[in-house]
Amino acid sequence: MSLLHFPAGFRWGTATSSFQIEGAAELRGDSIWDEFCRAPGAIADGSDGRVAVDHYHRYPQDVELMASLGIDTYRFSVSWPRVSDPDGSVNAAGLGFYDALVDALCAAGIRPWLTLYHWDLPAWLPGGWTNRATADAFADYALQVHDALGDRVRVWTTLNEPWCASFLSYAGGHHAPGHTDAAEAYASAHHLLLGHGLAVRALRAADPEATLGLTLNFTPAYPADPENPADLDAVRRIDGTAHRFFTDPVFRGAYPADVIADAGAAWPADLVRDGDLELIAAPIDVLGVNYYTSQLWRAGEPSPQPTPHPSATDGVVVDRPWLSRTDMGWEITPDAFRELLVGLHRDYTGPAGVRLAITENGAAIDDPDPASGPIDDQERIDYLREHLRAVHQAIEDGAAIDTYLVWSLIDNFEWAFGYTKRFGLVAVDGDLNRVPKASAGWYAELIRTGTLSLPDPS
Ligand code: FCB
């Protein structure tokens, strides 16, 4: 057995999002995800977020549970259609829920980490993110939430995974609003980033001491044949829209020229206006990294089906049968995580003096029903351990990482997969009771000691 010690002051926590856990949909306005759930066939099990795991009513218990595990940081998101009314005014009762949640977290000694946008866009905003006006509305909403909670919430993430909220949602059709139009995807990606920039400007002016950032998702792309120029080019284009479309304007103040060239006629005229890139590149304090897997790609024939990679419809994912997979079918590749973190620090965050935080990492495992007894989710523990080993190595290699948050605290609504995929450290039974899994106890012990135990290789 060898022991890896994390730096003193390293922060441990868990993450969730509003639509996935809250329920109490009758107490808020519709989001695009409520509408998407009503579309026949959109959600694997035909489910929705109306009740979810009823966190809205059970939050005191969920906070207590986190306190019992020694959780230091809790990343949650605010539901925009809960705290805003269609005329743009504040919904006091909706905001009151987060006020009470934040009070409960602070009383339990848990640091609240607030994400302003985790995909539940108010359904009433015309055109959603394809409309530039949505970026202005987002900044107004950000200030409204900050006015109420800024005295206690000191860490603010503007957006969660804008790639998912744009390319996956407006080009791939997999997420709300389920469109398949490349031009809409580019427009929404830019407007999301603009909303981020406008919100950072507003929050910075209101609260210069706050910690501000955004969270991006990374699925590192590797060529199936590193000697084959066609595979290398497919990887360049995938990486372009999935990653560089977001990191380059935020850290370098420009969209990558190759990405715009690849977009061709799908790049909307007049999309980027004077001053937009300065706003988007406003300094941030922390980059949130969500990581689950990596992929191997080769160049093939252009796909006739819509894909979330509009400039790489010829890209084909190549299976690596020797790798284990999670219940999402995602290959388990912790080494790519280490490489990603070191590369981000070297190329983007390090030079800008920005810290990295792991804002999501975790595994869907096909756990048994909690009714059949304690859940021994050893595969989840193994996944977390291997990925934490990668984080530790990245820190040793110089990456400035100070936080790790498991996705997720609790089993929840996994978007288009409904309730069929389980990522939680805690299960939920048929009566919505919380049932901690073995991984919850394992994580509590890791937090208590700050030390990762690695079994000797067999
Ligand atoms: C991320 C999302 C999160 C969850 C995990 C599994 O893309 O941010 O809400 O669905 O994947």
Side-chain angles (χ1 to χ4, degrees):
M1 169 98 66
S2 56
L3 301 175
L4 294 182
H5 304 287
F6 278 77
F10 193 83
R11 308 196 76 150
W12 303 97
T14 51
T16 62
S17 89
S18 46
F19 192 84
Q20 293 177 277
I21 64 166
E22 283 177 7
E26 70 287 358
L27 301 180
R28 57 164 173 73
D30 256 4
S31 77
I32 56 174
W33 269 93
D34 295 292
E35 291 184 334
F36 192 60
C37 289
R38 291 194 281 265
I43 310 298
D45 58 358
S47 65
D48 57 43
R50 278 181 294 180
V51 176
V53 295
D54 196 32
H55 172 75
Y56 182 90
H57 296 109
R58 297 171 197 239
Y59 77 87
Q61 189 190 337
D62 290 340
V63 171
E64 238 174 71
L65 187 56
M66 281 191 276
S68 76
L69 298 176
I71 299 291
D72 165 83
T73 296
Y74 175 51
R75 172 177 179 250
F76 63 98
S77 78
V78 171
S79 161
W80 186 351
R82 195 184 288 291
V83 306
S84 292
D85 286 329
D87 65 1
S89 62
V90 173
N91 182 311
L95 203 45
F97 166 69
Y98 297 102
D99 194 58
L101 171 65
V102 166
D103 272 349
L105 290 166
C106 292
I110 299 170
R111 173 174 69 145
W113 179 313
L114 188 152
T115 300
L116 284 160
Y117 186 70
H118 200 126
W119 309 349
D120 40 0
L121 186 71
W124 59 80
L125 293 173
W129 286 108
T130 65
N131 185 346
R132 192 177 165 94
T134 297
D136 294 305
F138 177 67
D140 294 345
Y141 149 73
L143 266 190
Q144 289 169 340
V145 178
H146 182 272
D147 281 350
L149 307 180
D151 57 336
R152 287 151 291 156
V153 175
R154 307 306 300 136
V155 191
W156 294 74
T157 292
T158 53
L159 307 174
N160 178 69
E161 302 190 355
W163 179 82
C164 290
S166 53
F167 289 95
L168 191 63
S169 303
Y170 287 90
H174 300 289
H175 278 188
H179 296 186
T180 53
D181 182 311
E184 287 192 13
Y186 290 111
S188 35
H190 177 63
H191 295 145
L192 278 150
L193 286 171
L194 182 61
H196 158 77
L198 289 164
V200 166
R201 181 174 70 181
L203 295 176
R204 195 68 88 191
D207 185 357
E209 301 300 316
T211 296
L212 306 179
L214 87 169
T215 277
L216 302 177
N217 55 305
F218 295 90
T219 303
Y222 295 95
D225 176 0
E227 306 289 316
N228 181 339
D231 290 3
L232 289 168
D233 195 61
V235 163
R236 177 189 63 74
R237 285 174 284 129
I238 302 278
D239 182 57
T241 47
H243 308 130
R244 291 182 290 117
F245 192 98
F246 302 95
T247 48
D248 283 35
V250 169
F251 290 100
R252 298 177 179 166
Y255 285 113
D258 64 313
V259 171
I260 298 182
D262 292 338
W267 187 264
D270 302 328
L271 177 61
V272 182
R273 302 199 186 154
D274 282 354
D276 286 4
L277 285 159
E278 286 74 11
L279 275 167
I280 293 170
I284 56 171
D285 308 298
V286 59
L287 174 67
V289 174
N290 290 358
Y291 178 84
Y292 292 93
T293 187
S294 65
Q295 285 173 330
L296 207 61
W297 290 87
R298 69 173 173 82
E301 293 302 315
S303 159
Q305 303 298 330
T307 97
H309 303 288
S311 65
T313 62
D314 58 329
V316 179
V317 175
V318 178
D319 287 345
R320 290 169 282 185
W322 58 92
L323 295 175
S324 314
R325 292 169 182 252
T326 67
D327 195 37
M328 298 298 282
W330 297 344
E331 292 166 342
I332 302 181
T333 58
D335 210 45
F337 192 21
R338 181 193 54 76
E339 227 174 83
L340 166 73
L341 293 168
V342 170
L344 284 172
H345 177 80
R346 180 190 59 227
D347 299 337
Y348 292 102
T349 52
V354 170
R355 286 176 289 119
L356 290 165
I358 313 309
T359 41
E360 288 181 25
N361 177 237
I365 303 296
D366 189 14
D367 301 315
D369 191 301
S372 60
I375 297 176
D376 183 10
D377 54 342
Q378 189 59 42
E379 286 175 74
R380 181 171 290 104
I381 295 174
D382 292 345
Y383 178 100
L384 295 174
R385 183 195 287 120
E386 286 309 309
H387 286 75
L388 276 161
R389 183 219 289 260
V391 171
H392 190 271
Q393 284 170 344
I395 295 172
E396 292 208 315
D397 290 346
I401 307 165
D402 61 9
T403 305
Y404 176 89
L405 310 177
V406 173
W407 184 271
S408 178
L409 170 66
I410 191 165
D411 289 344
N412 59 49
F413 177 78
E414 179 47 35
W415 308 113
F417 295 89
Y419 297 95
T420 65
K421 303 294 175 193
R422 293 187 282 274
F423 277 90
L425 300 174
V426 175
V428 179
D429 73 11
D431 298 320
L432 299 176
N433 296 314
R434 279 53 175 147
V435 186
K437 307 175 191 176
S439 56
W442 174 86
Y443 195 46
E445 183 61 11
L446 171 60
I447 295 172
R448 197 181 63 73
T449 59
T451 299
L452 187 68
S453 315
L454 299 172
D456 292 326
S458 45

